[in-house]
Amino acid sequence: MSQFLSNCSVDALATAAQSLKGGSLVAFPTETVYGLGADATNASAVARIYEVKGRPADHPLIVHIADLKYLEQWISDISEYAIALAREFWPGPMTLILHRSKLAKDFITGGQDTVGIRIPDNSLALGLLEAFHKLGGAGVAAPSANRFGQVSPTTANAVQEELGDYLSDTDLVLDGGQSVIGVESTIIDCTGELPRILRPGAISIEMIKEITGLEVSESTEMNSDDFKQEDIRVSGSLENHYAPKAKVFLDQIPVEGSGFIALESINTPDGVMRLAAPTSVEEYARVLYSALREGDHQNLDSIYITQPTGDGLAIAIRDRLSRSAKGR
Ligand code: TXA
Ligand code: MG
């Protein structure tokens, strides 16, 4: 059992940073989803992340830092468009894949020559990271704080539910309330001439085009049969991810006794349990994962979901939902 910190004062964050430095795991809120953090330079601490998540060890992790000044030590070179993206969207829901430096060891990158970096936009996360840097830490590796393949947690309670049995009593869970965005960061591969979106998120293709002035490619074919081996490295791109226990059906008429998620403007059909009625696409993203969890708490066999239409965040929502619907 880990300790649960809900009153995260500066002192509490300093203590949590010391735990990280000592090799323990600290789960913390970000604006996207909660992360399970470890010192990104400590091989045995990072090994515990894989153990606690039940995640294959060749899947790379994102390194979280508090400020652009900590970026250089992690990377070997960076293109102008990547610098433009970093300046514009960090802190924020964006992960950049960059050429790694020697500091980014194989146990972080899954043996690849690249490293994923993010500056999260959440005051608790930034406070923790800043306190960790003060202790001489270089960065915090943090995947979403769920068991491999399951729905990412957007509250500290959901972290406890996912990982409580696997964390030890020196590990910590920081409670920062609900994540405001609710789906994971946009991952942008910045190692080529043009930016390439590996995972859609709140930073949209239009926003990337506007800042870089470049064409942006999307790995939307990750859903198709010609799914490439290299893409498996982006574990969030595996087809059977983000799956609750209930079976998920998309854009179909719900059967009685099932759960139902749709925008508020869509009426609840007779005999189904409404799990969420968001009034906007932003709210849809924010409540989606907790609504899927609620379906499992209610022991529902099936959840019917009417997907949001349109661009931007709706693309990220449909990406996750299409994987949820593939099941476990
Ligand atoms: O919003 C987020 O990104 C959250 C919060 C906690 O920051 N983190 C997150 O981490 O979603 P994770 O590990 O659940 O998903 C990160 C994805 C993984 O699928 C991983 O394979 C991919 O990023 N990734 C990390 N480093 C990579 C690299 N060098 N090349 C390609 N993919 C990479
Ligand atoms: Mg994840």
Side-chain angles (χ1 to χ4, degrees), residues 60-90:
L61 297 170
I62 298 171
V63 176
H64 295 68
I65 55 176
D67 191 277
L68 268 177
K69 67 182 178 221
Y70 304 108
L71 176 64
E72 209 181 307
Q73 59 188 329
W74 285 104
I75 60 174
S76 54
D77 66 90
I78 183 167
S79 63
E80 289 207 354
Y81 75 77
I83 293 172
L85 289 170
R87 291 220 170 102
E88 182 69 22
F89 297 122
W90 276 344

PDB file of all heavy atoms in Angstrom, residues 60-90:
ATOM      1  N   PRO A  60       8.975   2.488 -24.682  1.00  0.00           N
ATOM      2  CA  PRO A  60       9.665   3.661 -24.143  1.00  0.00           C
ATOM      3  C   PRO A  60       8.770   4.523 -23.241  1.00  0.00           C
ATOM      4  O   PRO A  60       7.552   4.463 -23.327  1.00  0.00           O
ATOM      5  CB  PRO A  60      10.050   4.431 -25.397  1.00  0.00           C
ATOM      6  CG  PRO A  60       9.094   3.986 -26.447  1.00  0.00           C
ATOM      7  CD  PRO A  60       8.734   2.578 -26.122  1.00  0.00           C
ATOM      8  N   LEU A  61       9.431   5.307 -22.396  1.00  0.00           N
ATOM      9  CA  LEU A  61       8.721   6.174 -21.445  1.00  0.00           C
ATOM     10  C   LEU A  61       8.966   7.641 -21.785  1.00  0.00           C
ATOM     11  O   LEU A  61      10.005   7.985 -22.353  1.00  0.00           O
ATOM     12  CB  LEU A  61       9.243   5.913 -20.025  1.00  0.00           C
ATOM     13  CG  LEU A  61       9.014   4.506 -19.481  1.00  0.00           C
ATOM     14  CD1 LEU A  61       9.793   4.329 -18.175  1.00  0.00           C
ATOM     15  CD2 LEU A  61       7.532   4.269 -19.247  1.00  0.00           C
ATOM     16  N   ILE A  62       8.018   8.487 -21.401  1.00  0.00           N
ATOM     17  CA  ILE A  62       8.177   9.930 -21.593  1.00  0.00           C
ATOM     18  C   ILE A  62       8.919  10.509 -20.385  1.00  0.00           C
ATOM     19  O   ILE A  62       8.573  10.213 -19.240  1.00  0.00           O
ATOM     20  CB  ILE A  62       6.794  10.615 -21.714  1.00  0.00           C
ATOM     21  CG1 ILE A  62       6.043  10.082 -22.941  1.00  0.00           C
ATOM     22  CG2 ILE A  62       6.944  12.132 -21.783  1.00  0.00           C
ATOM     23  CD1 ILE A  62       4.581  10.552 -23.023  1.00  0.00           C
ATOM     24  N   VAL A  63       9.939  11.341 -20.646  1.00  0.00           N
ATOM     25  CA  VAL A  63      10.644  12.042 -19.574  1.00  0.00           C
ATOM     26  C   VAL A  63       9.978  13.401 -19.360  1.00  0.00           C
ATOM     27  O   VAL A  63       9.819  14.175 -20.304  1.00  0.00           O
ATOM     28  CB  VAL A  63      12.140  12.230 -19.920  1.00  0.00           C
ATOM     29  CG1 VAL A  63      12.835  13.041 -18.832  1.00  0.00           C
ATOM     30  CG2 VAL A  63      12.816  10.876 -20.118  1.00  0.00           C
ATOM     31  N   HIS A  64       9.596  13.661 -18.115  1.00  0.00           N
ATOM     32  CA  HIS A  64       8.940  14.933 -17.773  1.00  0.00           C
ATOM     33  C   HIS A  64       9.954  15.861 -17.119  1.00  0.00           C
ATOM     34  O   HIS A  64      10.699  15.439 -16.219  1.00  0.00           O
ATOM     35  CB  HIS A  64       7.772  14.681 -16.818  1.00  0.00           C
ATOM     36  CG  HIS A  64       6.661  13.884 -17.434  1.00  0.00           C
ATOM     37  ND1 HIS A  64       6.806  12.565 -17.786  1.00  0.00           N
ATOM     38  CD2 HIS A  64       5.393  14.219 -17.772  1.00  0.00           C
ATOM     39  CE1 HIS A  64       5.665  12.128 -18.320  1.00  0.00           C
ATOM     40  NE2 HIS A  64       4.794  13.108 -18.319  1.00  0.00           N
ATOM     41  N   ILE A  65       9.979  17.117 -17.578  1.00  0.00           N
ATOM     42  CA  ILE A  65      10.876  18.120 -17.003  1.00  0.00           C
ATOM     43  C   ILE A  65      10.051  19.362 -16.654  1.00  0.00           C
ATOM     44  O   ILE A  65       8.919  19.511 -17.130  1.00  0.00           O
ATOM     45  CB  ILE A  65      12.037  18.477 -17.974  1.00  0.00           C
ATOM     46  CG1 ILE A  65      11.489  18.932 -19.340  1.00  0.00           C
ATOM     47  CG2 ILE A  65      12.980  17.282 -18.147  1.00  0.00           C
ATOM     48  CD1 ILE A  65      12.566  19.390 -20.328  1.00  0.00           C
ATOM     49  N   ALA A  66      10.653  20.256 -15.827  1.00  0.00           N
ATOM     50  CA  ALA A  66       9.891  21.417 -15.346  1.00  0.00           C
ATOM     51  C   ALA A  66      10.031  22.633 -16.245  1.00  0.00           C
ATOM     52  O   ALA A  66       9.201  23.536 -16.199  1.00  0.00           O
ATOM     53  CB  ALA A  66      10.334  21.775 -13.927  1.00  0.00           C
ATOM     54  N   ASP A  67      11.093  22.650 -17.061  1.00  0.00           N
ATOM     55  CA  ASP A  67      11.378  23.883 -17.802  1.00  0.00           C
ATOM     56  C   ASP A  67      12.257  23.558 -19.015  1.00  0.00           C
ATOM     57  O   ASP A  67      13.005  22.564 -18.991  1.00  0.00           O
ATOM     58  CB  ASP A  67      12.136  24.845 -16.867  1.00  0.00           C
ATOM     59  CG  ASP A  67      12.253  26.244 -17.435  1.00  0.00           C
ATOM     60  OD1 ASP A  67      13.181  26.469 -18.252  1.00  0.00           O
ATOM     61  OD2 ASP A  67      11.416  27.091 -17.094  1.00  0.00           O
ATOM     62  N   LEU A  68      12.190  24.426 -20.028  1.00  0.00           N
ATOM     63  CA  LEU A  68      13.008  24.222 -21.238  1.00  0.00           C
ATOM     64  C   LEU A  68      14.498  24.136 -20.938  1.00  0.00           C
ATOM     65  O   LEU A  68      15.243  23.490 -21.661  1.00  0.00           O
ATOM     66  CB  LEU A  68      12.764  25.378 -22.217  1.00  0.00           C
ATOM     67  CG  LEU A  68      11.659  25.173 -23.255  1.00  0.00           C
ATOM     68  CD1 LEU A  68      11.499  26.420 -24.103  1.00  0.00           C
ATOM     69  CD2 LEU A  68      12.013  23.980 -24.139  1.00  0.00           C
ATOM     70  N   LYS A  69      14.925  24.772 -19.847  1.00  0.00           N
ATOM     71  CA  LYS A  69      16.375  24.762 -19.558  1.00  0.00           C
ATOM     72  C   LYS A  69      16.883  23.346 -19.216  1.00  0.00           C
ATOM     73  O   LYS A  69      18.080  23.098 -19.249  1.00  0.00           O
ATOM     74  CB  LYS A  69      16.726  25.758 -18.452  1.00  0.00           C
ATOM     75  CG  LYS A  69      16.185  25.428 -17.095  1.00  0.00           C
ATOM     76  CD  LYS A  69      16.566  26.537 -16.117  1.00  0.00           C
ATOM     77  CE  LYS A  69      15.982  26.248 -14.754  1.00  0.00           C
ATOM     78  NZ  LYS A  69      15.444  27.389 -14.068  1.00  0.00           N
ATOM     79  N   TYR A  70      15.970  22.430 -18.896  1.00  0.00           N
ATOM     80  CA  TYR A  70      16.392  21.057 -18.593  1.00  0.00           C
ATOM     81  C   TYR A  70      16.323  20.143 -19.817  1.00  0.00           C
ATOM     82  O   TYR A  70      16.573  18.947 -19.730  1.00  0.00           O
ATOM     83  CB  TYR A  70      15.519  20.457 -17.475  1.00  0.00           C
ATOM     84  CG  TYR A  70      15.520  21.294 -16.222  1.00  0.00           C
ATOM     85  CD1 TYR A  70      14.401  22.035 -15.854  1.00  0.00           C
ATOM     86  CD2 TYR A  70      16.657  21.346 -15.410  1.00  0.00           C
ATOM     87  CE1 TYR A  70      14.401  22.810 -14.700  1.00  0.00           C
ATOM     88  CE2 TYR A  70      16.667  22.124 -14.264  1.00  0.00           C
ATOM     89  CZ  TYR A  70      15.535  22.856 -13.919  1.00  0.00           C
ATOM     90  OH  TYR A  70      15.537  23.629 -12.781  1.00  0.00           O
ATOM     91  N   LEU A  71      15.963  20.733 -20.985  1.00  0.00           N
ATOM     92  CA  LEU A  71      15.774  19.907 -22.187  1.00  0.00           C
ATOM     93  C   LEU A  71      17.100  19.442 -22.784  1.00  0.00           C
ATOM     94  O   LEU A  71      17.270  18.279 -23.145  1.00  0.00           O
ATOM     95  CB  LEU A  71      14.978  20.716 -23.235  1.00  0.00           C
ATOM     96  CG  LEU A  71      14.759  20.037 -24.592  1.00  0.00           C
ATOM     97  CD1 LEU A  71      13.913  18.778 -24.438  1.00  0.00           C
ATOM     98  CD2 LEU A  71      14.077  21.002 -25.579  1.00  0.00           C
ATOM     99  N   GLU A  72      18.057  20.395 -22.860  1.00  0.00           N
ATOM    100  CA  GLU A  72      19.279  20.161 -23.618  1.00  0.00           C
ATOM    101  C   GLU A  72      20.022  18.892 -23.204  1.00  0.00           C
ATOM    102  O   GLU A  72      20.523  18.152 -24.042  1.00  0.00           O
ATOM    103  CB  GLU A  72      20.183  21.381 -23.432  1.00  0.00           C
ATOM    104  CG  GLU A  72      21.081  21.626 -24.619  1.00  0.00           C
ATOM    105  CD  GLU A  72      21.970  22.827 -24.368  1.00  0.00           C
ATOM    106  OE1 GLU A  72      21.419  23.903 -24.033  1.00  0.00           O
ATOM    107  OE2 GLU A  72      23.188  22.662 -24.480  1.00  0.00           O
ATOM    108  N   GLN A  73      20.058  18.633 -21.900  1.00  0.00           N
ATOM    109  CA  GLN A  73      20.815  17.476 -21.413  1.00  0.00           C
ATOM    110  C   GLN A  73      20.249  16.138 -21.918  1.00  0.00           C
ATOM    111  O   GLN A  73      20.953  15.144 -21.966  1.00  0.00           O
ATOM    112  CB  GLN A  73      20.849  17.482 -19.888  1.00  0.00           C
ATOM    113  CG  GLN A  73      19.472  17.444 -19.269  1.00  0.00           C
ATOM    114  CD  GLN A  73      19.488  17.655 -17.761  1.00  0.00           C
ATOM    115  OE1 GLN A  73      20.432  17.293 -17.082  1.00  0.00           O
ATOM    116  NE2 GLN A  73      18.425  18.227 -17.236  1.00  0.00           N
ATOM    117  N   TRP A  74      18.972  16.141 -22.335  1.00  0.00           N
ATOM    118  CA  TRP A  74      18.322  14.889 -22.754  1.00  0.00           C
ATOM    119  C   TRP A  74      18.431  14.602 -24.241  1.00  0.00           C
ATOM    120  O   TRP A  74      18.151  13.488 -24.680  1.00  0.00           O
ATOM    121  CB  TRP A  74      16.832  14.924 -22.381  1.00  0.00           C
ATOM    122  CG  TRP A  74      16.601  14.724 -20.920  1.00  0.00           C
ATOM    123  CD1 TRP A  74      16.285  15.682 -19.999  1.00  0.00           C
ATOM    124  CD2 TRP A  74      16.697  13.490 -20.195  1.00  0.00           C
ATOM    125  NE1 TRP A  74      16.177  15.109 -18.760  1.00  0.00           N
ATOM    126  CE2 TRP A  74      16.422  13.779 -18.849  1.00  0.00           C
ATOM    127  CE3 TRP A  74      16.993  12.174 -20.566  1.00  0.00           C
ATOM    128  CZ2 TRP A  74      16.434  12.788 -17.858  1.00  0.00           C
ATOM    129  CZ3 TRP A  74      17.003  11.189 -19.584  1.00  0.00           C
ATOM    130  CH2 TRP A  74      16.732  11.503 -18.257  1.00  0.00           C
ATOM    131  N   ILE A  75      18.811  15.631 -25.029  1.00  0.00           N
ATOM    132  CA  ILE A  75      18.720  15.464 -26.484  1.00  0.00           C
ATOM    133  C   ILE A  75      20.059  15.756 -27.142  1.00  0.00           C
ATOM    134  O   ILE A  75      20.927  16.406 -26.563  1.00  0.00           O
ATOM    135  CB  ILE A  75      17.624  16.374 -27.078  1.00  0.00           C
ATOM    136  CG1 ILE A  75      17.934  17.845 -26.798  1.00  0.00           C
ATOM    137  CG2 ILE A  75      16.260  16.006 -26.492  1.00  0.00           C
ATOM    138  CD1 ILE A  75      16.984  18.813 -27.467  1.00  0.00           C
ATOM    139  N   SER A  76      20.226  15.256 -28.383  1.00  0.00           N
ATOM    140  CA  SER A  76      21.508  15.504 -29.053  1.00  0.00           C
ATOM    141  C   SER A  76      21.374  16.606 -30.099  1.00  0.00           C
ATOM    142  O   SER A  76      22.310  17.333 -30.337  1.00  0.00           O
ATOM    143  CB  SER A  76      22.060  14.218 -29.660  1.00  0.00           C
ATOM    144  OG  SER A  76      21.104  13.642 -30.492  1.00  0.00           O
ATOM    145  N   ASP A  77      20.246  16.722 -30.748  1.00  0.00           N
ATOM    146  CA  ASP A  77      20.008  17.888 -31.604  1.00  0.00           C
ATOM    147  C   ASP A  77      18.509  18.066 -31.760  1.00  0.00           C
ATOM    148  O   ASP A  77      17.732  17.168 -31.463  1.00  0.00           O
ATOM    149  CB  ASP A  77      20.717  17.762 -32.959  1.00  0.00           C
ATOM    150  CG  ASP A  77      20.142  16.634 -33.764  1.00  0.00           C
ATOM    151  OD1 ASP A  77      19.194  16.873 -34.511  1.00  0.00           O
ATOM    152  OD2 ASP A  77      20.647  15.494 -33.644  1.00  0.00           O
ATOM    153  N   ILE A  78      18.141  19.245 -32.245  1.00  0.00           N
ATOM    154  CA  ILE A  78      16.714  19.551 -32.324  1.00  0.00           C
ATOM    155  C   ILE A  78      16.462  20.481 -33.503  1.00  0.00           C
ATOM    156  O   ILE A  78      17.251  21.400 -33.752  1.00  0.00           O
ATOM    157  CB  ILE A  78      16.216  20.154 -30.984  1.00  0.00           C
ATOM    158  CG1 ILE A  78      14.708  20.427 -31.012  1.00  0.00           C
ATOM    159  CG2 ILE A  78      16.980  21.406 -30.597  1.00  0.00           C
ATOM    160  CD1 ILE A  78      14.105  20.732 -29.638  1.00  0.00           C
ATOM    161  N   SER A  79      15.413  20.210 -34.244  1.00  0.00           N
ATOM    162  CA  SER A  79      15.109  21.019 -35.429  1.00  0.00           C
ATOM    163  C   SER A  79      14.440  22.330 -35.015  1.00  0.00           C
ATOM    164  O   SER A  79      13.920  22.448 -33.901  1.00  0.00           O
ATOM    165  CB  SER A  79      14.177  20.245 -36.361  1.00  0.00           C
ATOM    166  OG  SER A  79      12.956  20.009 -35.691  1.00  0.00           O
ATOM    167  N   GLU A  80      14.438  23.285 -35.955  1.00  0.00           N
ATOM    168  CA  GLU A  80      13.815  24.583 -35.645  1.00  0.00           C
ATOM    169  C   GLU A  80      12.332  24.447 -35.368  1.00  0.00           C
ATOM    170  O   GLU A  80      11.791  25.105 -34.492  1.00  0.00           O
ATOM    171  CB  GLU A  80      14.031  25.543 -36.811  1.00  0.00           C
ATOM    172  CG  GLU A  80      15.465  25.966 -36.877  1.00  0.00           C
ATOM    173  CD  GLU A  80      15.650  27.324 -37.519  1.00  0.00           C
ATOM    174  OE1 GLU A  80      14.661  27.899 -38.015  1.00  0.00           O
ATOM    175  OE2 GLU A  80      16.795  27.779 -37.523  1.00  0.00           O
ATOM    176  N   TYR A  81      11.677  23.549 -36.135  1.00  0.00           N
ATOM    177  CA  TYR A  81      10.229  23.454 -35.922  1.00  0.00           C
ATOM    178  C   TYR A  81       9.922  22.855 -34.555  1.00  0.00           C
ATOM    179  O   TYR A  81       8.923  23.210 -33.917  1.00  0.00           O
ATOM    180  CB  TYR A  81       9.539  22.702 -37.079  1.00  0.00           C
ATOM    181  CG  TYR A  81       9.703  21.192 -37.121  1.00  0.00           C
ATOM    182  CD1 TYR A  81       8.981  20.365 -36.271  1.00  0.00           C
ATOM    183  CD2 TYR A  81      10.557  20.591 -38.044  1.00  0.00           C
ATOM    184  CE1 TYR A  81       9.114  18.978 -36.319  1.00  0.00           C
ATOM    185  CE2 TYR A  81      10.698  19.219 -38.114  1.00  0.00           C
ATOM    186  CZ  TYR A  81       9.973  18.407 -37.244  1.00  0.00           C
ATOM    187  OH  TYR A  81      10.108  17.055 -37.305  1.00  0.00           O
ATOM    188  N   ALA A  82      10.803  21.963 -34.062  1.00  0.00           N
ATOM    189  CA  ALA A  82      10.576  21.380 -32.735  1.00  0.00           C
ATOM    190  C   ALA A  82      10.758  22.450 -31.652  1.00  0.00           C
ATOM    191  O   ALA A  82       9.991  22.495 -30.679  1.00  0.00           O
ATOM    192  CB  ALA A  82      11.527  20.211 -32.497  1.00  0.00           C
ATOM    193  N   ILE A  83      11.733  23.325 -31.851  1.00  0.00           N
ATOM    194  CA  ILE A  83      11.934  24.424 -30.894  1.00  0.00           C
ATOM    195  C   ILE A  83      10.700  25.329 -30.883  1.00  0.00           C
ATOM    196  O   ILE A  83      10.207  25.734 -29.818  1.00  0.00           O
ATOM    197  CB  ILE A  83      13.206  25.239 -31.246  1.00  0.00           C
ATOM    198  CG1 ILE A  83      14.444  24.372 -31.033  1.00  0.00           C
ATOM    199  CG2 ILE A  83      13.289  26.516 -30.402  1.00  0.00           C
ATOM    200  CD1 ILE A  83      15.745  24.988 -31.510  1.00  0.00           C
ATOM    201  N   ALA A  84      10.166  25.603 -32.076  1.00  0.00           N
ATOM    202  CA  ALA A  84       8.969  26.452 -32.168  1.00  0.00           C
ATOM    203  C   ALA A  84       7.796  25.805 -31.427  1.00  0.00           C
ATOM    204  O   ALA A  84       7.064  26.481 -30.685  1.00  0.00           O
ATOM    205  CB  ALA A  84       8.616  26.691 -33.631  1.00  0.00           C
ATOM    206  N   LEU A  85       7.629  24.502 -31.595  1.00  0.00           N
ATOM    207  CA  LEU A  85       6.534  23.797 -30.900  1.00  0.00           C
ATOM    208  C   LEU A  85       6.728  23.843 -29.387  1.00  0.00           C
ATOM    209  O   LEU A  85       5.789  24.114 -28.629  1.00  0.00           O
ATOM    210  CB  LEU A  85       6.458  22.336 -31.371  1.00  0.00           C
ATOM    211  CG  LEU A  85       5.951  22.110 -32.800  1.00  0.00           C
ATOM    212  CD1 LEU A  85       6.164  20.658 -33.227  1.00  0.00           C
ATOM    213  CD2 LEU A  85       4.473  22.496 -32.910  1.00  0.00           C
ATOM    214  N   ALA A  86       7.963  23.601 -28.957  1.00  0.00           N
ATOM    215  CA  ALA A  86       8.266  23.601 -27.519  1.00  0.00           C
ATOM    216  C   ALA A  86       7.960  24.976 -26.916  1.00  0.00           C
ATOM    217  O   ALA A  86       7.327  25.076 -25.855  1.00  0.00           O
ATOM    218  CB  ALA A  86       9.727  23.231 -27.292  1.00  0.00           C
ATOM    219  N   ARG A  87       8.406  26.028 -27.603  1.00  0.00           N
ATOM    220  CA  ARG A  87       8.185  27.394 -27.078  1.00  0.00           C
ATOM    221  C   ARG A  87       6.703  27.727 -27.011  1.00  0.00           C
ATOM    222  O   ARG A  87       6.243  28.392 -26.091  1.00  0.00           O
ATOM    223  CB  ARG A  87       8.879  28.416 -27.980  1.00  0.00           C
ATOM    224  CG  ARG A  87      10.380  28.331 -27.886  1.00  0.00           C
ATOM    225  CD  ARG A  87      10.992  29.743 -27.881  1.00  0.00           C
ATOM    226  NE  ARG A  87      12.400  29.659 -27.550  1.00  0.00           N
ATOM    227  CZ  ARG A  87      13.374  29.751 -28.439  1.00  0.00           C
ATOM    228  NH1 ARG A  87      13.093  29.973 -29.711  1.00  0.00           N
ATOM    229  NH2 ARG A  87      14.626  29.647 -28.060  1.00  0.00           N
ATOM    230  N   GLU A  88       5.956  27.264 -28.002  1.00  0.00           N
ATOM    231  CA  GLU A  88       4.539  27.631 -28.072  1.00  0.00           C
ATOM    232  C   GLU A  88       3.669  26.808 -27.104  1.00  0.00           C
ATOM    233  O   GLU A  88       2.797  27.344 -26.439  1.00  0.00           O
ATOM    234  CB  GLU A  88       4.032  27.418 -29.513  1.00  0.00           C
ATOM    235  CG  GLU A  88       2.584  27.805 -29.731  1.00  0.00           C
ATOM    236  CD  GLU A  88       2.337  29.305 -29.648  1.00  0.00           C
ATOM    237  OE1 GLU A  88       3.294  30.086 -29.843  1.00  0.00           O
ATOM    238  OE2 GLU A  88       1.173  29.685 -29.384  1.00  0.00           O
ATOM    239  N   PHE A  89       3.909  25.504 -27.044  1.00  0.00           N
ATOM    240  CA  PHE A  89       2.925  24.635 -26.381  1.00  0.00           C
ATOM    241  C   PHE A  89       3.365  24.066 -25.031  1.00  0.00           C
ATOM    242  O   PHE A  89       2.591  23.346 -24.399  1.00  0.00           O
ATOM    243  CB  PHE A  89       2.512  23.500 -27.320  1.00  0.00           C
ATOM    244  CG  PHE A  89       1.813  23.977 -28.564  1.00  0.00           C
ATOM    245  CD1 PHE A  89       2.317  23.677 -29.823  1.00  0.00           C
ATOM    246  CD2 PHE A  89       0.662  24.756 -28.474  1.00  0.00           C
ATOM    247  CE1 PHE A  89       1.679  24.124 -30.972  1.00  0.00           C
ATOM    248  CE2 PHE A  89       0.012  25.206 -29.610  1.00  0.00           C
ATOM    249  CZ  PHE A  89       0.524  24.890 -30.865  1.00  0.00           C
ATOM    250  N   TRP A  90       4.596  24.325 -24.590  1.00  0.00           N
ATOM    251  CA  TRP A  90       5.031  23.875 -23.258  1.00  0.00           C
ATOM    252  C   TRP A  90       5.023  25.030 -22.284  1.00  0.00           C
ATOM    253  O   TRP A  90       5.443  26.121 -22.669  1.00  0.00           O
ATOM    254  CB  TRP A  90       6.432  23.286 -23.326  1.00  0.00           C
ATOM    255  CG  TRP A  90       6.480  21.853 -23.741  1.00  0.00           C
ATOM    256  CD1 TRP A  90       5.452  20.950 -23.777  1.00  0.00           C
ATOM    257  CD2 TRP A  90       7.652  21.142 -24.192  1.00  0.00           C
ATOM    258  NE1 TRP A  90       5.918  19.731 -24.230  1.00  0.00           N
ATOM    259  CE2 TRP A  90       7.260  19.819 -24.477  1.00  0.00           C
ATOM    260  CE3 TRP A  90       8.991  21.491 -24.369  1.00  0.00           C
ATOM    261  CZ2 TRP A  90       8.160  18.851 -24.929  1.00  0.00           C
ATOM    262  CZ3 TRP A  90       9.883  20.536 -24.818  1.00  0.00           C
ATOM    263  CH2 TRP A  90       9.460  19.219 -25.087  1.00  0.00           C
TER     264      TRP A  90
END
